[in-house]
Protein backbone atom coordinates (compact mmCIF):
# COMPACT_ATOMS: atom_id res chain seq x y z
CA UNK A 1 0.00 0.00 0.00
CA UNK A 2 1.32 3.41 -0.93
CA UNK A 3 0.31 6.80 0.37
CA UNK A 4 -1.78 8.36 -2.40
CA UNK A 5 -2.74 12.00 -2.65
CA UNK A 6 -5.89 12.23 -4.80
CA UNK A 7 -7.99 15.33 -5.38
CA UNK A 8 -11.53 14.21 -4.48
CA UNK A 9 -13.14 17.08 -6.38
CA UNK A 10 -12.02 15.57 -9.71
CA UNK A 11 -10.44 12.19 -8.95
CA UNK A 12 -7.00 13.20 -10.22
CA UNK A 13 -3.98 11.76 -8.44
CA UNK A 14 -1.59 14.49 -7.27
CA UNK A 15 1.27 12.47 -5.82
CA UNK A 16 2.15 8.99 -4.56
CA UNK A 17 4.64 8.16 -1.81
CA UNK A 18 6.11 4.75 -1.02
CA UNK A 19 5.98 3.32 2.47
CA UNK A 20 9.15 3.28 4.55
CA UNK A 21 11.23 0.14 4.48
CA UNK A 22 11.68 -1.60 7.83
CA UNK A 23 15.31 -0.40 7.91
CA UNK A 24 14.21 3.22 7.37
CA UNK A 25 11.62 2.85 10.12
CA UNK A 26 14.25 1.47 12.50
CA UNK A 27 16.54 4.45 11.80
CA UNK A 28 13.70 6.85 12.61
CA UNK A 29 12.85 5.00 15.83
CA UNK A 30 16.49 5.14 16.88
CA UNK A 31 16.64 8.88 16.16
CA UNK A 32 13.47 9.51 18.17
CA UNK A 33 14.76 7.52 21.14
CA UNK A 34 18.10 9.36 21.02
CA UNK A 35 16.34 12.71 20.82
CA UNK A 36 14.29 11.93 23.93
CA UNK A 37 17.44 11.54 26.03
CA UNK A 38 18.20 15.26 25.64
CA UNK A 39 14.77 16.76 24.98
CA UNK A 40 13.39 15.42 28.26
CA UNK A 41 15.94 17.49 30.21
CA UNK A 42 15.39 20.79 28.41
CA UNK A 43 13.62 23.56 30.27
CA UNK A 44 10.05 24.42 29.33
CA UNK A 45 11.33 27.71 27.95
CA UNK A 46 13.76 25.93 25.63
CA UNK A 47 11.05 23.55 24.42
CA UNK A 48 8.68 26.47 23.95
CA UNK A 49 11.19 28.18 21.68
CA UNK A 50 10.94 25.32 19.18
CA UNK A 51 7.18 24.85 19.50
CA UNK A 52 6.57 28.61 19.11
CA UNK A 53 8.79 28.71 16.04
CA UNK A 54 6.82 25.85 14.48
CA UNK A 55 3.62 27.81 15.24
CA UNK A 56 5.05 30.94 13.59
CA UNK A 57 6.04 28.95 10.50
CA UNK A 58 2.56 27.52 10.34
CA UNK A 59 1.17 31.03 10.37
CA UNK A 60 3.59 32.14 7.64
CA UNK A 61 2.71 29.13 5.48
CA UNK A 62 -1.02 29.24 6.20
CA UNK A 63 -2.20 29.68 2.63
CA UNK A 64 -0.10 26.92 1.10
CA UNK A 65 -0.94 24.57 3.98
CA UNK A 66 -4.66 25.27 3.55
CA UNK A 67 -4.53 24.75 -0.22
CA UNK A 68 -2.66 21.47 0.20
CA UNK A 69 -5.42 20.26 2.51
CA UNK A 70 -8.16 21.31 0.07
CA UNK A 71 -6.46 19.59 -2.85
CA UNK A 72 -5.77 16.46 -0.86
CA UNK A 73 -9.00 15.81 1.06
CA UNK A 74 -11.51 18.29 -0.35
CA UNK A 75 -12.05 20.63 2.63
CA UNK A 76 -13.59 23.91 1.48
CA UNK A 77 -10.82 26.50 1.37
CA UNK A 78 -12.21 28.85 4.02
CA UNK A 79 -12.65 25.96 6.44
CA UNK A 80 -9.12 24.84 5.59
CA UNK A 81 -7.77 28.31 6.44
CA UNK A 82 -9.70 28.21 9.71
CA UNK A 83 -8.19 24.84 10.60
CA UNK A 84 -4.64 26.06 9.98
CA UNK A 85 -5.22 29.12 12.17
CA UNK A 86 -6.69 26.98 14.95
CA UNK A 87 -3.82 24.48 14.77
CA UNK A 88 -1.35 27.36 15.10
CA UNK A 89 -3.14 28.58 18.19
CA UNK A 90 -3.05 25.12 19.79
CA UNK A 91 0.75 24.97 19.44
CA UNK A 92 1.06 28.49 20.86
CA UNK A 93 -1.29 27.63 23.72
CA UNK A 94 0.83 24.71 24.91
CA UNK A 95 4.08 26.63 24.42
CA UNK A 96 2.68 29.23 26.80
CA UNK A 97 0.87 27.06 29.37
CA UNK A 98 2.67 23.69 29.59
CA UNK A 99 4.88 24.61 32.52
CA UNK A 100 1.89 25.81 34.53
CA UNK A 101 -0.06 22.61 33.76
CA UNK A 102 2.82 20.37 34.81
CA UNK A 103 4.10 22.29 37.79
CA UNK A 104 4.69 20.01 40.84
CA UNK A 105 1.64 19.62 43.06
CA UNK A 106 2.22 19.93 46.80
CA UNK A 107 0.54 17.22 48.87
CA UNK A 108 -0.25 17.23 52.58
CA UNK A 109 0.65 13.91 54.24
CA UNK A 110 0.24 13.56 57.99
CA UNK A 111 4.01 13.25 58.34
CA UNK A 112 6.67 15.12 56.43
CA UNK A 113 6.15 16.71 53.06
CA UNK A 114 5.37 15.36 49.61
CA UNK A 115 4.66 16.42 46.08
CA UNK A 116 3.64 14.96 42.74
CA UNK A 117 5.87 15.86 39.84
CA UNK A 118 5.27 15.26 36.17
CA UNK A 119 7.97 13.80 33.99
CA UNK A 120 7.90 12.75 30.32
CA UNK A 121 7.79 9.03 29.51
CA UNK A 122 9.46 8.69 26.11
CA UNK A 123 8.51 8.24 22.48
CA UNK A 124 4.77 8.65 21.90
CA UNK A 125 3.20 7.13 18.77
CA UNK A 126 0.21 8.93 17.25
CA UNK A 127 -2.13 7.49 14.60
CA UNK A 128 -4.24 10.23 13.06
CA UNK A 129 -7.16 10.64 10.63
CA UNK A 130 -7.50 12.66 7.43
CA UNK A 131 -10.55 14.71 8.35
CA UNK A 132 -8.56 17.43 10.15
CA UNK A 133 -5.11 16.88 8.67
CA UNK A 134 -3.30 19.55 10.74
CA UNK A 135 -5.55 20.09 13.75
CA UNK A 136 -5.26 16.42 14.74
CA UNK A 137 -1.47 16.67 14.55
CA UNK A 138 -1.34 19.92 16.54
CA UNK A 139 -3.54 18.32 19.20
CA UNK A 140 -0.86 15.72 19.91
CA UNK A 141 2.29 17.68 19.04
CA UNK A 142 1.59 20.75 21.20
CA UNK A 143 1.01 18.99 24.52
CA UNK A 144 3.24 15.95 24.22
CA UNK A 145 6.34 17.77 22.92
CA UNK A 146 5.96 20.48 25.54
CA UNK A 147 5.68 17.77 28.21
CA UNK A 148 9.15 16.57 27.17
CA UNK A 149 8.10 13.53 25.15
CA UNK A 150 8.99 13.04 21.49
CA UNK A 151 6.46 12.14 18.84
CA UNK A 152 6.17 9.78 15.88
CA UNK A 153 2.99 9.97 13.80
CA UNK A 154 1.35 7.71 11.28
CA UNK A 155 -1.09 9.91 9.38
CA UNK A 156 -3.94 8.62 7.17
CA UNK A 157 -2.91 7.15 3.82
CA UNK A 158 -4.82 9.80 1.82
CA UNK A 159 -3.12 12.92 3.25
CA UNK A 160 0.63 12.34 2.83
CA UNK A 161 1.35 15.87 1.61
CA UNK A 162 -0.27 17.39 4.70
CA UNK A 163 1.68 14.95 6.88
CA UNK A 164 4.97 15.90 5.22
CA UNK A 165 4.20 19.64 5.35
CA UNK A 166 3.52 19.43 9.09
CA UNK A 167 6.75 17.54 9.74
CA UNK A 168 8.65 20.21 7.77
CA UNK A 169 7.45 22.84 10.25
CA UNK A 170 9.49 21.13 12.95
CA UNK A 171 12.58 20.57 10.85
CA UNK A 172 12.51 24.19 9.69
CA UNK A 173 11.88 25.40 13.25
CA UNK A 174 15.25 23.90 14.20
CA UNK A 175 13.87 20.94 16.15
CA UNK A 176 16.49 18.30 16.99
CA UNK A 177 16.42 15.25 14.71
CA UNK A 178 13.81 12.78 15.94
CA UNK A 179 11.64 15.25 17.85
CA UNK A 180 8.70 15.02 15.46
CA UNK A 181 8.70 12.21 12.88
CA UNK A 182 6.17 11.54 10.16
CA UNK A 183 5.90 7.83 9.38
CA UNK A 184 4.58 6.65 6.02
CA UNK A 185 4.00 3.10 7.22
CA UNK A 186 1.61 0.15 6.86
CA UNK A 187 -0.72 -1.15 9.54
CA UNK A 188 1.67 -4.06 10.17
CA UNK A 189 4.55 -1.63 10.67
CA UNK A 190 2.31 0.41 12.96
CA UNK A 191 1.84 -2.72 15.08
CA UNK A 192 5.61 -3.16 15.19
CA UNK A 193 6.01 0.45 16.38
CA UNK A 194 3.50 -0.16 19.19
CA UNK A 195 5.41 -3.31 20.19
CA UNK A 196 8.76 -1.51 20.21
CA UNK A 197 10.06 -1.02 23.76
CA UNK A 198 11.34 2.48 22.92
CA UNK A 199 7.73 3.59 22.35
CA UNK A 200 5.99 4.36 25.65
CA UNK A 201 2.48 5.55 24.74
CA UNK A 202 -0.04 5.41 21.90
CA UNK A 203 -2.59 8.05 20.88
CA UNK A 204 -5.18 7.25 18.21
CA UNK A 205 -7.85 9.37 16.62
CA UNK A 206 -9.89 7.30 14.22
CA UNK A 207 -12.67 4.77 13.80
CA UNK A 208 -13.94 2.29 16.36
CA UNK A 209 -12.39 -0.57 14.36
CA UNK A 210 -8.97 1.08 14.46
CA UNK A 211 -9.49 1.77 18.18
CA UNK A 212 -10.18 -1.86 18.96
CA UNK A 213 -7.07 -2.99 17.08
CA UNK A 214 -4.64 -0.33 18.33
CA UNK A 215 -5.87 -0.22 21.95
CA UNK A 216 -5.59 -4.03 22.12
CA UNK A 217 -2.05 -3.86 20.79
CA UNK A 218 -1.10 -1.15 23.29
CA UNK A 219 -2.78 -3.10 26.09
CA UNK A 220 -0.87 -6.25 25.27
CA UNK A 221 2.29 -4.20 25.66
CA UNK A 222 1.00 -2.56 28.86
CA UNK A 223 1.36 0.88 27.31
CA UNK A 224 -0.96 3.77 28.11
CA UNK A 225 -3.19 4.85 25.26
CA UNK A 226 -5.75 7.50 24.45
CA UNK A 227 -8.56 6.76 22.02
CA UNK A 228 -10.49 9.51 20.23
CA UNK A 229 -12.98 7.53 18.18
CA UNK A 230 -16.26 7.98 16.33
CA UNK A 231 -19.53 9.49 17.40
CA UNK A 232 -23.20 9.82 16.55
CA UNK A 233 -24.00 12.99 18.45
CA UNK A 234 -27.55 13.90 19.33
CA UNK A 235 -28.83 17.38 18.45
CA UNK A 236 -31.79 17.80 20.80
CA UNK A 237 -34.36 20.48 20.02
CA UNK A 238 -36.80 21.18 22.86
CA UNK A 239 -40.19 22.83 22.29
CA UNK A 240 -38.97 26.20 23.60
CA UNK A 241 -35.95 26.46 21.28
CA UNK A 242 -35.32 29.55 19.17
CA UNK A 243 -35.87 27.92 15.78
CA UNK A 244 -34.03 30.54 13.75
CA UNK A 245 -30.88 30.13 15.87
CA UNK A 246 -31.28 26.34 16.04
CA UNK A 247 -31.55 25.80 12.28
CA UNK A 248 -28.28 27.69 11.68
CA UNK A 249 -26.44 25.42 14.11
CA UNK A 250 -28.17 22.33 12.70
CA UNK A 251 -26.90 23.11 9.21
CA UNK A 252 -23.41 23.98 10.40
CA UNK A 253 -23.30 21.06 12.84
CA UNK A 254 -24.17 18.51 10.16
CA UNK A 255 -22.43 20.07 7.16
CA UNK A 256 -19.17 21.57 8.47
CA UNK A 257 -16.20 19.74 6.91
CA UNK A 258 -18.60 18.02 4.53
CA UNK A 259 -20.20 16.29 7.51
CA UNK A 260 -16.95 14.42 8.19
CA UNK A 261 -16.45 15.41 11.81
CA UNK A 262 -16.40 12.96 14.71
CA UNK A 263 -18.56 15.19 16.88
CA UNK A 264 -20.84 16.49 14.11
CA UNK A 265 -24.56 16.59 14.85
CA UNK A 266 -25.72 13.29 13.40
CA UNK A 267 -29.02 12.45 15.14
CA UNK A 268 -31.56 15.28 15.12
CA UNK A 269 -34.00 14.63 17.95
CA UNK A 270 -36.85 17.14 17.91
CA UNK A 271 -39.78 17.48 20.29
CA UNK A 272 -43.15 17.07 18.55
CA UNK A 273 -44.27 20.68 18.82
CA UNK A 274 -41.36 21.94 16.65
CA UNK A 275 -40.76 18.79 14.61
CA UNK A 276 -42.52 19.73 11.36
CA UNK A 277 -41.26 23.30 11.34
CA UNK A 278 -37.72 22.13 12.07
CA UNK A 279 -37.77 19.43 9.41
CA UNK A 280 -39.16 21.76 6.73
CA UNK A 281 -36.63 24.49 7.37
CA UNK A 282 -33.70 22.10 7.79
CA UNK A 283 -34.60 20.34 4.53
CA UNK A 284 -34.83 23.65 2.67
CA UNK A 285 -31.49 24.83 4.06
CA UNK A 286 -29.65 21.62 3.07
CA UNK A 287 -31.32 21.55 -0.35
CA UNK A 288 -29.99 25.06 -1.02
CA UNK A 289 -26.31 23.99 -0.81
CA UNK A 290 -24.55 24.02 -4.17
CA UNK A 291 -21.74 21.60 -5.02
CA UNK A 292 -18.58 23.05 -6.46
CA UNK A 293 -14.79 23.11 -6.39
CA UNK A 294 -13.71 23.38 -2.73
CA UNK A 295 -10.87 25.72 -3.72
CA UNK A 296 -13.52 28.25 -4.82
CA UNK A 297 -14.55 30.39 -1.82
CA UNK A 298 -18.15 30.60 -2.99
CA UNK A 299 -18.70 26.81 -2.98
CA UNK A 300 -21.18 25.74 -0.30
CA UNK A 301 -20.92 21.95 -0.75
CA UNK A 302 -17.55 20.26 -1.20
CA UNK A 303 -16.72 16.63 -2.02
CA UNK A 304 -16.18 13.86 0.48
CA UNK A 305 -12.57 13.02 1.24
CA UNK A 306 -12.31 10.11 -1.19
CA UNK A 307 -14.25 7.94 -3.59
CA UNK A 308 -14.19 5.05 -1.11
CA UNK A 309 -15.69 7.28 1.61
CA UNK A 310 -18.48 8.27 -0.79
CA UNK A 311 -19.24 4.68 -1.81
CA UNK A 312 -19.35 3.60 1.82
CA UNK A 313 -21.76 6.39 2.75
CA UNK A 314 -24.10 5.75 -0.20
CA UNK A 315 -24.06 2.07 0.78
CA UNK A 316 -25.04 2.94 4.36
CA UNK A 317 -27.97 5.05 3.13
CA UNK A 318 -29.14 2.26 0.81
CA UNK A 319 -28.95 -0.20 3.68
CA UNK A 320 -30.93 2.15 5.95
CA UNK A 321 -33.65 2.41 3.28
CA UNK A 322 -33.74 -1.36 2.80
CA UNK A 323 -34.46 -1.59 6.52
CA UNK A 324 -37.37 0.86 6.36
CA UNK A 325 -35.92 4.38 6.52
CA UNK A 326 -37.52 7.14 4.44
CA UNK A 327 -35.37 9.52 2.39
CA UNK A 328 -36.71 13.04 2.85
CA UNK A 329 -33.87 14.65 0.92
CA UNK A 330 -30.99 13.43 -1.26
CA UNK A 331 -29.71 9.92 -0.72
CA UNK A 332 -27.49 9.56 -3.79
CA UNK A 333 -24.12 10.61 -5.16
CA UNK A 334 -24.20 13.80 -7.20
CA UNK A 335 -23.97 13.30 -10.95
CA UNK A 336 -20.75 15.22 -11.61
CA UNK A 337 -17.02 14.47 -11.55
CA UNK A 338 -15.53 13.96 -8.10
CA UNK A 339 -16.80 12.28 -4.92
CA UNK A 340 -19.85 14.38 -4.06
CA UNK A 341 -22.83 13.24 -1.96
CA UNK A 342 -26.24 14.88 -1.94
CA UNK A 343 -27.13 16.40 1.43
CA UNK A 344 -29.42 13.74 2.83
CA UNK A 345 -32.09 13.48 5.53
CA UNK A 346 -33.44 10.13 6.71
CA UNK A 347 -36.54 9.60 8.87
CA UNK A 348 -38.49 6.57 10.12
CA UNK A 349 -35.36 4.90 11.47
CA UNK A 350 -36.50 2.14 13.80
CA UNK A 351 -34.25 0.79 16.52
CA UNK A 352 -33.66 -2.43 14.57
CA UNK A 353 -32.39 -0.55 11.51
CA UNK A 354 -28.55 -0.77 11.37
CA UNK A 355 -28.55 2.99 10.71
CA UNK A 356 -29.88 3.56 14.24
CA UNK A 357 -26.49 2.59 15.71
CA UNK A 358 -24.27 3.63 12.79
CA UNK A 359 -22.05 6.65 12.37
CA UNK A 360 -22.75 8.47 9.07
CA UNK A 361 -19.47 10.19 8.21
CA UNK A 362 -20.73 12.68 5.65
CA UNK A 363 -23.74 14.90 4.88
CA UNK A 364 -26.44 12.48 6.09
CA UNK A 365 -28.76 13.54 8.93
CA UNK A 366 -31.02 11.19 10.84
CA UNK A 367 -34.23 12.81 12.04
CA UNK A 368 -36.25 11.56 15.04
CA UNK A 369 -39.51 12.95 16.42
CA UNK A 370 -40.09 12.59 20.18
CA UNK A 371 -42.91 13.58 22.56
CA UNK A 372 -40.92 15.33 25.27
CA UNK A 373 -37.61 16.03 26.99
CA UNK A 374 -37.42 12.64 28.71
CA UNK A 375 -37.92 10.79 25.44
CA UNK A 376 -35.29 12.97 23.79
CA UNK A 377 -32.74 12.14 26.50
CA UNK A 378 -33.57 8.42 26.41
CA UNK A 379 -33.10 8.34 22.63
CA UNK A 380 -29.87 10.35 22.83
CA UNK A 381 -28.52 7.85 25.36
CA UNK A 382 -29.57 4.79 23.34
CA UNK A 383 -26.30 4.82 21.41
CA UNK A 384 -23.07 2.85 21.47
CA UNK A 385 -21.25 6.16 21.13
CA UNK A 386 -20.73 8.87 23.73
CA UNK A 387 -18.67 11.64 22.20
CA UNK A 388 -20.64 14.90 22.23
CA UNK A 389 -24.12 16.31 21.84
CA UNK A 390 -26.14 19.48 22.02
CA UNK A 391 -29.44 20.78 23.33
CA UNK A 392 -31.39 23.81 22.15
CA UNK A 393 -33.78 25.60 24.52
CA UNK A 394 -34.46 29.18 25.58
CA UNK A 395 -34.28 28.04 29.22
CA UNK A 396 -30.56 27.84 30.10
CA UNK A 397 -31.18 26.04 33.41
CA UNK A 398 -33.16 23.41 31.55
CA UNK A 399 -30.40 23.13 28.95
CA UNK A 400 -27.83 22.52 31.65
CA UNK A 401 -30.05 19.90 33.28
CA UNK A 402 -30.49 18.05 30.01
CA UNK A 403 -26.76 18.33 29.27
CA UNK A 404 -26.01 16.62 32.60
CA UNK A 405 -28.34 13.72 31.78
CA UNK A 406 -26.92 12.92 28.33
CA UNK A 407 -24.16 10.32 28.59
CA UNK A 408 -21.30 11.77 26.55
CA UNK A 409 -17.89 13.35 27.07
CA UNK A 410 -19.02 16.79 25.88
CA UNK A 411 -22.32 18.68 25.75
CA UNK A 412 -23.17 22.07 24.28
CA UNK A 413 -26.17 24.22 25.14
CA UNK A 414 -27.54 26.37 22.30
CA UNK A 415 -24.35 25.90 20.25
CA UNK A 416 -22.01 23.19 19.11
CA UNK A 417 -18.75 25.08 19.26
CA UNK A 418 -16.88 21.82 19.69
CA UNK A 419 -13.30 22.71 20.12
CA UNK A 420 -11.14 25.24 21.87
CA UNK A 421 -7.48 24.90 22.86
CA UNK A 422 -8.50 25.42 26.51
CA UNK A 423 -11.32 22.83 26.59
CA UNK A 424 -10.81 19.09 27.04
CA UNK A 425 -12.06 17.02 24.11
CA UNK A 426 -13.05 13.35 24.19
CA UNK A 427 -15.72 10.77 24.77
CA UNK A 428 -16.95 7.67 26.56
CA UNK A 429 -18.29 4.26 25.47
CA UNK A 430 -17.30 3.39 21.87
CA UNK A 431 -16.14 6.98 21.38
CA UNK A 432 -13.03 6.06 23.33
CA UNK A 433 -11.19 7.27 26.40
CA UNK A 434 -8.72 9.92 27.42
CA UNK A 435 -8.84 13.60 26.60
CA UNK A 436 -7.01 15.89 24.23
CA UNK A 437 -6.63 19.68 24.53
CA UNK A 438 -6.77 21.84 27.65
CA UNK A 439 -4.91 20.99 30.83
CA UNK A 440 -6.11 17.35 30.68
CA UNK A 441 -4.61 16.82 27.22
CA UNK A 442 -1.05 17.29 28.44
CA UNK A 443 -1.48 14.89 31.38
CA UNK A 444 -2.14 11.77 29.25
CA UNK A 445 1.46 10.70 28.74
CA UNK A 446 3.39 11.94 31.76
CA UNK A 447 4.61 10.06 34.79
CA UNK A 448 2.89 11.43 37.87
CA UNK A 449 5.64 10.73 40.33
CA UNK A 450 5.21 10.91 44.09
CA UNK A 451 8.18 12.27 46.05
CA UNK A 452 7.97 12.19 49.84
CA UNK A 453 10.56 13.71 52.13
CA UNK A 454 10.28 13.15 55.84
CA UNK A 455 12.81 12.54 58.58
CA UNK A 456 11.17 9.30 59.71
CA UNK A 457 12.75 6.41 61.56
CA UNK A 458 12.34 3.09 59.76
CA UNK A 459 9.90 0.80 61.63
CA UNK A 460 11.65 -2.03 63.45
P1 LIG B 1 -9.66 5.11 10.36
O1 LIG B 1 -9.89 4.27 9.17
O2 LIG B 1 -9.72 4.48 11.68
O3 LIG B 1 -8.26 5.82 10.12
C1 LIG B 1 -7.69 6.67 11.10
C2 LIG B 1 -6.20 6.42 11.17
O4 LIG B 1 -5.99 5.11 11.71
C3 LIG B 1 -5.50 6.40 9.81
O5 LIG B 1 -4.21 6.92 9.96
C4 LIG B 1 -5.46 4.93 9.46
O6 LIG B 1 -4.45 4.62 8.56
C5 LIG B 1 -5.17 4.35 10.82
N1 LIG B 1 -5.54 2.97 11.00
C6 LIG B 1 -6.75 2.38 10.82
N2 LIG B 1 -6.70 1.09 11.19
C7 LIG B 1 -5.43 0.85 11.60
C8 LIG B 1 -4.74 -0.30 12.07
N3 LIG B 1 -5.36 -1.46 12.23
N4 LIG B 1 -3.44 -0.18 12.39
C9 LIG B 1 -2.81 0.98 12.25
N5 LIG B 1 -3.39 2.11 11.80
C10 LIG B 1 -4.69 2.05 11.47
O7 LIG B 1 -10.66 6.31 10.44
P2 LIG B 1 -11.27 7.14 9.27
O8 LIG B 1 -12.50 6.44 8.85
O9 LIG B 1 -10.26 7.46 8.25
O10 LIG B 1 -11.58 8.48 10.08
C11 LIG B 1 -12.80 8.78 10.53
C12 LIG B 1 -13.08 8.22 11.90
O11 LIG B 1 -12.31 8.93 12.87
C13 LIG B 1 -14.52 8.47 12.27
O12 LIG B 1 -15.04 7.38 12.95
C14 LIG B 1 -14.44 9.68 13.16
O13 LIG B 1 -15.53 9.84 14.00
C15 LIG B 1 -13.16 9.44 13.88
N6 LIG B 1 -12.62 10.70 14.43
C16 LIG B 1 -12.63 10.88 15.79
C17 LIG B 1 -12.18 12.08 16.34
C18 LIG B 1 -12.19 12.30 17.83
O14 LIG B 1 -11.49 13.20 18.29
N7 LIG B 1 -12.93 11.55 18.61
C19 LIG B 1 -11.71 13.09 15.50
C20 LIG B 1 -11.71 12.87 14.13
C21 LIG B 1 -12.16 11.66 13.61
P3 LIG B 1 -4.75 4.31 7.01
O15 LIG B 1 -5.30 5.57 6.42
O16 LIG B 1 -3.43 3.93 6.49
O17 LIG B 1 -5.73 3.17 7.00
Amino acid sequence: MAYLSVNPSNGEQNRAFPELTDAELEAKLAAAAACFKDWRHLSYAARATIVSRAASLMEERAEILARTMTLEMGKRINEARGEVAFSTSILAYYAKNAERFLTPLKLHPTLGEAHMESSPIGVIFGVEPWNFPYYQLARVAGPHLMAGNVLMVKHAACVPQCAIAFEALWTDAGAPAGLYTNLLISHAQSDAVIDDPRVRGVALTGSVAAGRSIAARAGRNLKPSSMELGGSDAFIVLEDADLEHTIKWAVWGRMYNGGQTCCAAKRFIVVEKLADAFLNRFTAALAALVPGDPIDESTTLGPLSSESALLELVGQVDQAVTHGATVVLGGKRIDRPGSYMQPTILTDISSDNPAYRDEFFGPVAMFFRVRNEDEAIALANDSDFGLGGSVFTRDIARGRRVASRVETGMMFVNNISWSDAELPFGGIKDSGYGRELGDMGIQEFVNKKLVRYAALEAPV
Side-chain angles (χ1 to χ4, degrees):
M1 185 193 81
Y3 279 67
L4 296 182
S5 182
V6 176
N7 183 341
S9 73
N10 57 22
E12 283 169 17
Q13 185 172 308
N14 303 318
R15 302 274 304 270
F17 299 85
E19 281 168 3
L20 296 179
T21 63
D22 288 346
E24 287 167 334
L25 174 57
E26 168 51 34
K28 287 180 188 287
L29 273 162
C35 179
F36 177 63
K37 287 196 177 124
D38 293 330
W39 182 256
R40 66 179 303 171
H41 296 301
L42 288 191
S43 65
Y44 286 102
R47 291 181 204 145
T49 304
I50 300 290
V51 176
S52 304
R53 253 191 244 146
S56 302
L57 287 175
M58 194 163 206
E59 201 169 7
E60 278 169 30
R61 297 174 189 177
E63 188 58 21
I64 178 73
L65 289 170
R67 293 177 89 82
T68 305
M69 178 171 12
T70 297
L71 288 177
E72 198 157 54
M73 52 69 71
K75 192 176 303 241
R76 292 188 299 130
I77 187 66
N78 282 341
E79 292 183 348
R81 289 178 182 133
E83 180 180 334
V84 174
F86 186 32
S87 307
T88 306
S89 72
I90 290 171
L91 296 180
Y93 169 76
Y94 282 106
K96 182 171 172 213
N97 293 298
E99 184 167 13
R100 175 167 65 85
F101 293 151
L102 297 177
T103 198
L105 177 68
K106 193 167 167 42
L107 302 176
H108 303 282
T110 45
L111 289 172
E113 293 177 63
H115 71 252
M116 298 290 297
E117 61 188 35
S118 299
S119 42
I121 59 173
V123 180
I124 306 302
F125 178 47
V127 180
E128 300 299 333
W130 46 265
N131 62 340
F132 291 94
Y134 303 122
Y135 159 69
Q136 293 295 344
L137 303 184
R139 253 171 41 158
V140 286
H144 305 323
L145 297 182
M146 279 306 301
N149 294 310
V150 307
L151 194 58
M152 306 189 87
V153 176
K154 183 225 168 300
H155 213 330
C158 61
V159 287
Q161 297 197 79
C162 291
I164 291 166
F166 191 82
E167 183 186 47
L169 297 174
W170 300 94
T171 318
D172 298 348
L179 181 67
Y180 180 97
T181 311
N182 174 48
L183 297 175
L184 301 178
I185 55 173
S186 67
H187 291 184
Q189 286 174 312
S190 161
D191 282 346
V193 172
I194 297 171
D195 293 345
D196 193 289
R198 290 165 291 191
V199 171
R200 299 306 324 158
V202 182
L204 166 73
T205 296
S207 59
V208 174
R212 288 193 203 288
S213 167
I214 289 172
R217 197 86 189 187
R220 206 167 87 183
N221 284 285
L222 300 177
K223 294 181 183 175
S225 61
S226 68
M227 294 288 136
E228 298 281 358
L229 309 178
S232 189
D233 289 8
F235 183 104
I236 298 174
V237 184
L238 299 177
E239 67 280 2
D240 62 347
D242 173 345
L243 200 54
E244 188 74 30
H245 174 85
T246 303
I247 291 290
K248 285 183 192 152
W249 277 110
V251 174
W252 190 86
R254 183 56 286 198
M255 297 305 299
Y256 175 73
N257 203 27
Q260 305 162 112
T261 305
C262 50
C263 50
K266 292 175 186 150
R267 294 180 294 145
F268 293 82
I269 301 174
V270 186
V271 167
E272 188 66 60
K273 190 174 160 213
L274 282 188
D276 288 333
F278 177 90
L279 186 57
N280 290 339
R281 292 181 63 170
F282 189 40
T283 305
L286 293 194
L289 300 174
V290 183
D293 189 336
I295 210 82
D296 177 348
E297 286 180 9
S298 64
T299 292
T300 51
L301 181 69
L304 292 189
S305 62
S306 65
E307 184 63 15
S308 58
L310 171 67
L311 295 178
E312 190 180 333
L313 191 62
V314 172
Q316 277 181 292
V317 170
D318 290 346
Q319 189 190 41
V321 172
T322 306
H323 286 81
T326 303
V327 178
V328 172
L329 177 73
K332 304 269 178 248
R333 80 176 296 154
I334 298 177
D335 185 16
R336 54 162 291 151
S339 306
Y340 288 78
M341 174 81 184
Q342 294 174 337
T344 298
I345 301 178
L346 300 175
T347 59
D348 303 320
I349 301 152
S350 55
S351 57
D352 57 353
N353 191 323
Y356 187 84
R357 303 215 158 260
D358 263 5
E359 176 183 30
F360 284 84
F361 215 57
V364 179
M366 288 190 276
F367 175 84
F368 300 89
R369 192 184 289 263
V370 291
R371 274 177 300 191
N372 53 41
E373 176 184 317
D374 282 347
E375 268 191 27
I377 294 167
L379 182 51
N381 287 339
D382 189 16
S383 171
D384 300 333
F385 292 107
L387 189 54
S390 54
V391 53
F392 290 78
T393 167
R394 283 197 170 86
D395 179 346
I396 301 303
R398 187 182 185 197
R400 289 169 65 153
R401 205 171 61 232
V402 172
S404 295
R405 291 178 61 199
V406 178
E407 293 154 5
T408 60
M410 304 174 284
M411 279 299 289
F412 304 89
V413 180
N414 290 332
N415 72 82
I416 34 176
S417 49
W418 302 306
S419 205
D420 223 322
E422 295 86 5
L423 302 179
F425 187 107
I428 59 169
K429 304 202 272 185
D430 284 0
S431 296
Y433 51 83
R435 293 292 180 270
E436 290 185 342
L437 297 177
D439 181 351
M440 288 178 81
I442 203 171
Q443 313 289 349
E444 290 286 338
F445 297 109
V446 290
N447 175 18
K448 294 288 181 189
K449 186 194 291 175
L450 169 71
V451 181
R452 183 178 194 181
Y453 26 104
L456 305 179
E457 293 297 324
V460 282

